[in-house]
């Protein structure tokens, strides 16, 4: 009886052995410590303006810090609309009386 092994049997057993062994190194990329697509607060300082209505509108910008980028537009449009309304309201408020043209002429 001969104990010789054919080359085909050697190649076949090496191929099977190669599949059975786990890979020596994993080539998977490490997971990032943070999700770069997740919303990240900008933490920008907001200085109070002294006008409660304007300050409330500017405080609404904080909501954008907790939203994905596609949600920012709604917040920005809301803040812009509120600030525009506040400015428009300033035009409607009565201010100090305007001097008459005759007053200006008498001062010269």
């Amino acid at each position: 009886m001969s104990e010789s092994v054919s080359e085909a049997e050697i190649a076949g057993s090496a191929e099977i052995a190669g599949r059975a062994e786990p890979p020596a190194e994993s080539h998977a990329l490490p997971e990032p410590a943070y999700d770069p697509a997740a919303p990240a607060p900008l933490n920008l300082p907001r200085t109070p303006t002294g006008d409660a209505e304007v300050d409330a509108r500017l405080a609404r910008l904080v909501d954008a810090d907790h939203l994905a980028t596609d949600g920012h537009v709604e917040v920005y449009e809301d803040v812009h609309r509120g600030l525009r309304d506040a400015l428009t309201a300033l035009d409607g408020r009565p201010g100090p009386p305007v001097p008459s043209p005759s007053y200006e002429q008498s001062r010269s």
Side-chain angles (χ1 to χ4, degrees):
M1 214 182 201
S2 169
E3 299 216 13
S4 65
V5 180
S6 72
E7 287 181 14
E9 290 176 313
I10 294 172
S13 60
E15 192 175 300
I16 292 171
R19 278 189 251 151
E21 293 178 27
E25 285 185 41
S26 175
H27 295 292
L29 297 174
E31 291 290 322
Y34 67 96
D35 182 2
L42 295 176
N43 297 323
L44 295 174
R46 290 176 182 84
T47 306
T49 64
D51 185 300
E53 187 177 354
V54 171
D55 290 340
R57 296 297 179 175
L58 293 176
R60 168 102 163 86
L61 290 172
V62 173
D63 294 343
D65 284 347
H66 308 289
L67 298 172
T69 306
D70 60 352
H72 289 191
V73 173
E74 182 182 339
V75 173
Y76 294 154
E77 286 178 348
D78 182 48
V79 170
H80 182 255
R81 185 174 30 260
L83 292 174
R84 188 178 55 234
D85 292 347
L87 286 172
T88 302
L90 289 175
D91 290 339
R93 291 182 188 162
V98 178
S100 67
S102 60
Y103 175 78
E104 291 295 324
Q105 291 173 357
S106 68
R107 290 191 66 197
S108 3

